[in-house]
Amino acid sequence: MIESMANWFLSLTWFPQMELASVKLLSVLLVGAGLFAFIAVNAIVLVYVERKVSAFMQVRLGPMRVGPYGTLQTVADALKLLLKEDIIPTLADSILFRVGPFIILISAIVAFAAIPFSPTVTAADMSIGLYYIVSISSIVVVGIVMSGWASNNKWSLYGAMRSAAQIVSYEIPVGLTLLAVVAMAGSLNMNEIIIAQGGSSNLFHWIPLPLPNWYMFNNPFLFIAFFMYIIGATAEINRTPFDLPESESELVAGFMTEYSGIRWALFFLSEYANFTLVAFLTAVVFMGGWQSPFETIFAAKTSLLVLLALALAWTGYVKTKANRLSIYPLAIIGLSTIAAWLFPGFAIWITEPGLFWIAMKVLSLIFLLMWFRWTFPRLRVDQLMYVSWKVLMPIALFNLIGVATWMWLTGEIQF
Amino acid sequence: MGRLHTEEMILNMGPQHPSTHGVLRLKLITDGEIVSHVEPVIGYLHRSFEKHAENLEYQMVSPFVDRADYIAAMNNGHAYAIAVEKMLGIELPPRVEYIRVIMAEFQRIASHLIAVGTFGLDVGGITPFIYCMRERELILDLFEMASGARLLYNYIWIGGLAHDLPAGWVEKAYEFLDEFDFHVEEYNRILTTNKIFIERTADVGVLPVEVAINYGVTGPNLRGSGIPFDVRKNQPYSFYDRFEWKVPVGEGAMGSVGDSWDRYMVRIEEMLESAKIIRQALDQLPAEGDVKAAIPKKIRPPKGAEIYSRYENPRGELGFYIRSDGTNIPTRVKMRSPAFSNISALNEISQGWMMSDVITILGSLDIVLGEIDR
């Protein structure tokens, strides 16, 4: 993307004469600014979404006062945090205290460089994209330990230590599950992993459902790997049920206890950036990234009919069970089905790869993780370690062997 | 290489901490995450209730009693009224007794809802708390209709009630009861049977029967250890002998008898039993009747009269020891607060558990600092 952007700049007639290196540098800066803007806006939107989702789960309304339906609430909160006094505790290690949040934020932003937003838009389409994301995003733990230690507060220290143990432990099963996918795709490049997930499924082709050839549906081992990855990723981004580092009822606010104002907001920003990053990574690695789930127009039309039937069944179930009419899923799927059957243009559009599909996948994953957070209690620290080392690790190793065996059986590799 | 020097750390949990249920300070001696000693430091909410009571007339004490256990104000007022009435030997109209039982049991449900909800919060689940508060609001609405207040009612007076029930109250109470069982089922689905919740609470902080009795632990905490002791059943006061209900005890369904899950479950079951009692009391409630017995304006129990009256508060056995010197001001009012005894067992049962478990155990004991410090 940097290359093409630089070439585009140079092709402009009014653009001043510059060396290619300078133009490239300019492109890099612009792309970085764009990513940062994306992350900042994304965090503001997601905080609002999270508050609304939690409110609806808890029979409340959530923010309603600032702007229509409270849409400007998080903007107002962000402004308030910007204007607050920057407090650094007297006994804190002030350099580390200041640097900590930035390390967390930078590692979260930089990881987005390798995320493909659409077939053509990837900030840096590098050959080791997946490896780069996994390694860069693990720098977060340095920042967390730094700010927890520098706060000079026992609660912060507890939070930081828990966080270090947790993130380091969960990186292993997460890495192993991703390795299974890398073995399947034969590449670490994000776009190539996505391209490998095109076409029709080779396992479930006998099922009348036209399932997409995503890696999560590719074979039973990767199907398990998908759920393991979701569990591990939830732990890596410190969200409930694995939110021990910042567990409110135990550690006050964990490593964030002593922070206030904009520094605290940076933690929030990076938390949501990491959250989105994990959703993007899951979408790319297991759910076909920017690929459309429908291979052909016929597949799109029939799948939408099946989905409509499912939505009808769900609506009926909710109606009989809770005596409540859940109209929105039915309305959305119904309208898209009608549109797909009536307007050929719409049917073609939904079979094309693009930003729309990856955004849909990412948003559903984000909703799933929010759902976890607002329904589950929290694990204890030893149970957390148990899940990682004694449950996820062995299954991940077994899965890796399973995937290799599967590839050998289906003739994808030969010995 | 020399051996790494390690030592235990003293950690002050509170008085400003989200999970200490008020202004309690726990001095934890920790070795990493493991807690080897817990020392509850109390007194941050001391308002010298007992000294105040020695300077006030009998009727003037009862609003102060409400403020001791602010989560179960109705029960405290009831307990104090019963104690003074026993000293004076007053017979109450049946309508008063029925309304008192209804109010006390509604208050028990409201208090247990807070206990269950905040226990969920302590374990990390936020949504169950909101669900519990939703039902508690309905109970508070009922209390507001009857007394005008939502937290500290001063509704149960010596010799009767402050006001009669307003029109439409009984129907609203029935409405609540019809819905309530379904809501308890909701709590069970989201919290009680949740795998993570069971992992966090089952077998954690087992309170053996001997320890419980040695420390004078009462109420749901004692019943969670398997002892079916309930003052309402063992020494019935008011009209409690007229209703059919059972005393739920901990059975160790998820772990061993007396663990945090059992104490939690006893509260869930007690809410259903309370609902049963309220339904029976509402059915038997006389339609007409006085809500105040004829008592003298100045209450002067005979000189030297003393009484210890037992009462089953949502947290355990609430006792009032009152001594009279023949004037209209008591010489001594001593309140035996259940939460004070319950929290004293904390150190014994939380040693060797992790820091998160101490919070779980504290939450399962369901303390109210207003009552501990008085």
Side-chain angles (χ1 to χ4, degrees):
Chain A
M1 194 186 168
I2 305 290
E3 293 277 329
S4 53
M5 201 169 174
N7 288 331
W8 181 74
F9 273 131
L10 289 175
S11 70
L12 293 172
T13 48
W14 49 266
F15 198 74
Q17 284 297 311
M18 273 195 216
E19 281 175 41
L20 185 65
S22 331
V23 181
K24 270 189 177 172
L25 183 65
L26 180 69
S27 311
V28 167
L29 288 176
L30 279 175
V31 168
L35 278 180
F36 183 76
F38 165 71
I39 286 160
V41 173
N42 175 61
I44 283 179
V45 173
L46 280 191
V47 171
Y48 174 74
V49 170
E50 174 125 47
R51 290 182 67 176
K52 276 293 186 191
V53 166
S54 70
F56 293 149
M57 285 183 185
Q58 298 171 349
V59 223
R60 304 182 282 124
L61 287 174
M64 285 298 278
R65 292 303 175 101
V66 190
Y69 292 92
T71 37
L72 296 176
Q73 180 69 54
T74 37
V75 179
D77 287 347
L79 284 177
K80 182 205 77 175
L81 287 171
L82 272 168
L83 295 173
K84 274 182 92 169
E85 187 191 351
D86 180 27
I87 300 170
I88 295 171
T90 324
L91 292 176
D93 186 330
S94 81
I95 295 170
L96 292 187
F97 189 84
R98 283 161 211 256
V99 171
F102 285 102
I103 289 188
I104 300 176
L105 183 65
I106 287 169
S107 78
I109 294 175
V110 166
F112 269 90
I115 292 286
F117 291 95
S118 85
T120 46
V121 181
T122 311
D125 192 9
M126 51 186 97
S127 57
I128 51 159
L130 188 59
Y131 178 72
Y132 166 79
I133 291 176
V134 170
S135 47
I136 279 284
S137 60
S138 61
I139 294 180
V140 170
V141 70
V142 178
I144 290 178
V145 172
M146 214 179 240
S147 40
W149 172 262
S151 299
N152 202 0
N153 175 322
K154 286 171 184 173
W155 300 107
S156 306
L157 189 61
Y158 265 108
M161 289 300 142
R162 281 185 181 187
S163 175
Q166 175 176 338
I167 294 179
V168 168
S169 315
Y170 274 86
E171 241 155 40
I172 296 162
V174 162
L176 285 172
T177 48
L178 291 178
L179 204 57
V181 172
V182 170
M184 275 305 281
S187 167
L188 283 162
N189 180 298
M190 300 288 270
N191 280 313
E192 277 175 29
I193 291 174
I194 294 174
I195 290 165
Q197 298 176 61
S200 59
S201 172
N202 52 9
L203 169 71
F204 293 108
H205 58 85
W206 42 269
I207 299 179
L209 283 179
L211 278 177
N213 185 28
W214 297 346
Y215 274 141
M216 67 178 281
F217 297 128
N218 191 294
N219 65 54
F221 300 106
L222 285 183
F223 191 66
I224 301 169
F226 170 72
F227 291 101
M228 281 172 37
Y229 180 74
I230 291 278
I231 296 171
T234 319
E236 270 206 272
I237 55 172
N238 300 336
R239 281 182 78 84
T240 317
F242 308 102
D243 63 338
L244 289 100
E246 49 200 87
S247 48
E248 197 208 332
S249 56
E250 290 158 26
L251 301 183
V252 192
F255 55 89
M256 299 192 267
T257 309
E258 292 290 352
Y259 282 87
S260 66
I262 193 63
R263 279 178 216 284
W264 183 81
L266 288 184
F267 281 119
F268 230 63
L269 193 59
S270 39
E271 185 185 322
Y272 280 92
N274 272 321
F275 186 20
T276 319
L277 180 75
V278 157
F280 264 108
L281 205 55
T282 320
V284 166
V285 168
F286 289 101
M287 298 170 77
W290 36 254
Q291 299 258 24
S292 161
F294 314 119
E295 199 199 350
T296 59
I297 293 170
F298 177 73
K301 285 180 175 176
T302 45
S303 315
L304 277 172
L305 276 184
V306 173
L307 281 175
L308 187 63
L310 286 174
L312 268 174
W314 164 252
T315 311
Y317 174 77
V318 173
K319 179 74 187 153
T320 50
K321 195 83 180 171
N323 195 20
R324 210 167 271 160
L325 205 58
S326 90
I327 193 78
Y328 292 109
L330 192 64
I332 292 169
I333 295 174
L335 282 177
S336 359
T337 316
I338 293 167
W341 281 88
L342 289 186
F343 307 108
F346 182 76
I348 293 167
W349 184 66
I350 56 171
T351 52
E352 277 170 0
L355 180 63
F356 172 73
W357 279 116
I358 196 163
M360 292 301 280
K361 288 164 189 172
V362 165
L363 288 176
S364 359
L365 285 166
I366 283 175
F367 176 74
L368 181 74
L369 291 178
M370 285 182 179
W371 193 358
F372 285 174
R373 172 158 180 190
W374 297 104
T375 40
F376 285 146
R378 180 186 311 117
L379 284 168
R380 208 198 308 148
V381 68
D382 60 322
Q383 292 164 346
L384 182 91
M385 291 294 153
Y386 180 91
V387 171
S388 171
W389 293 101
K390 291 193 173 172
V391 182
L392 292 182
M393 259 277 277
I395 300 178
L397 281 170
F398 167 79
N399 247 339
L400 196 56
I401 298 166
V403 167
T405 319
W406 182 273
M407 286 167 73
W408 177 58
L409 287 176
T410 53
E412 283 185 49
I413 47 167
Q414 277 98 31
F415 292 112
Chain B
M1 246 187 70
R3 187 173 281 194
L4 201 62
H5 175 67
T6 60
E7 59 182 37
E8 289 178 325
M9 182 166 86
I10 294 176
L11 189 64
N12 274 307
M13 185 184 278
Q16 312 291 331
H17 187 276
S19 297
T20 47
H21 297 249
V23 276
L24 169 70
R25 179 154 71 99
L26 292 179
K27 233 163 106 185
L28 307 178
I29 297 179
T30 55
D31 179 8
E33 290 268 346
I34 309 282
V35 173
S36 55
H37 185 84
V38 185
E39 189 188 327
V41 182
I42 60 170
Y44 290 93
L45 205 57
H46 182 61
R47 291 153 299 174
S48 31
F49 156 72
E50 287 172 7
K51 193 67 195 166
H52 270 302
E54 288 168 20
N55 297 296
L56 294 167
E57 291 175 26
Y58 284 92
Q59 290 98 325
M60 293 160 89
V61 174
S62 73
F64 285 91
V65 174
D66 276 6
R67 278 147 184 82
D69 183 350
Y70 42 80
I71 307 285
M74 209 61 104
N75 291 103
N76 287 24
H78 194 193
Y80 177 72
I82 286 179
V84 178
E85 283 154 10
K86 270 192 199 157
M87 275 177 103
L88 299 169
I90 302 172
E91 271 294 308
L92 293 173
R95 188 172 160 85
V96 172
E97 291 286 17
Y98 278 118
I99 294 176
R100 280 183 176 189
V101 167
I102 292 167
M103 290 298 179
E105 293 309 311
F106 265 131
Q107 182 72 84
R108 193 182 310 279
I109 294 179
S111 169
H112 280 350
L113 280 174
I114 287 209
V116 165
T118 50
F119 187 46
L121 269 187
D122 291 345
V123 180
I126 298 159
T127 305
F129 174 71
I130 313 261
Y131 285 8
C132 291
M133 291 308 260
R134 177 186 62 189
E135 271 70 70
R136 182 170 175 268
E137 279 302 297
L138 299 175
I139 298 180
L140 295 191
D141 286 347
L142 287 171
F143 286 161
E144 192 182 6
M145 271 176 88
S147 69
R150 290 173 70 83
L151 187 69
L152 305 164
Y153 317 101
N154 194 19
Y155 182 65
I156 297 176
W157 286 0
I158 297 165
L161 304 166
H163 320 278
D164 199 354
L165 294 179
W169 196 92
V170 175
E171 289 74 33
K172 259 195 106 172
Y174 272 124
E175 250 172 58
F176 174 83
L177 293 178
D178 292 339
E179 290 271 312
F180 187 62
D181 286 8
F182 170 74
H183 291 311
V184 173
E185 192 51 41
E186 268 183 348
Y187 313 147
N188 285 344
R189 277 207 300 268
I190 197 168
L191 195 63
T192 317
T193 52
N194 184 298
K195 175 77 177 146
I196 299 175
F197 179 73
I198 293 169
E199 287 289 323
R200 281 296 305 277
T201 54
D203 279 328
V204 170
V206 176
L207 176 65
V209 179
E210 311 85 59
V211 174
I213 291 172
N214 284 348
Y215 280 98
V217 173
T218 46
N221 300 327
L222 179 65
R223 294 195 282 277
S225 299
I227 305 287
F229 174 78
D230 191 319
V231 181
R232 289 175 291 168
K233 205 77 165 174
N234 296 50
Q235 278 189 5
Y237 51 88
S238 199
F239 278 181
Y240 277 103
D241 44 0
R242 300 196 182 184
F243 309 116
E244 259 181 48
W245 57 286
K246 67 178 179 55
V247 179
V249 289
E251 284 150 2
M254 293 296 162
S256 36
V257 179
D259 57 10
S260 300
W261 194 87
D262 272 357
R263 288 195 283 275
Y264 163 86
M265 199 57 201
V266 163
R267 291 198 176 91
I268 289 270
E269 285 171 5
E270 269 186 29
M271 289 200 283
L272 294 173
E273 294 300 321
S274 291
K276 268 191 220 164
I277 297 176
I278 298 171
R279 196 177 277 281
Q280 293 171 41
L282 284 170
D283 291 343
Q284 298 172 18
L285 180 68
E288 291 290 314
D290 232 349
V291 291
K292 276 175 193 133
I295 55 160
K297 220 167 192 150
K298 290 209 165 181
I299 294 173
R300 290 197 185 86
K303 193 170 185 325
E306 58 176 1
I307 188 141
Y308 179 75
S309 152
R310 307 173 85 181
Y311 184 89
E312 185 73 23
N313 172 291
R315 266 154 277 283
E317 183 190 324
L318 176 67
F320 272 104
Y321 169 76
I322 304 174
R323 200 166 69 213
S324 157
D325 59 354
T327 64
N328 59 350
I329 292 168
T331 358
R332 178 90 173 95
V333 176
K334 153 85 181 136
M335 191 174 170
R336 187 248 180 231
S337 104
F340 179 79
S341 308
N342 293 352
I343 199 183
S344 58
L346 180 68
N347 181 29
E348 189 99 355
I349 60 176
S350 49
Q351 276 176 13
W353 287 101
M354 291 195 166
M355 212 163 68
S356 333
D357 295 323
V358 173
I359 287 155
T360 311
I361 296 167
L362 187 69
S364 75
L365 288 176
D366 182 27
I367 50 159
V368 167
L369 270 300
E371 194 198 41
I372 292 176
D373 296 340
R374 299 189 287 290

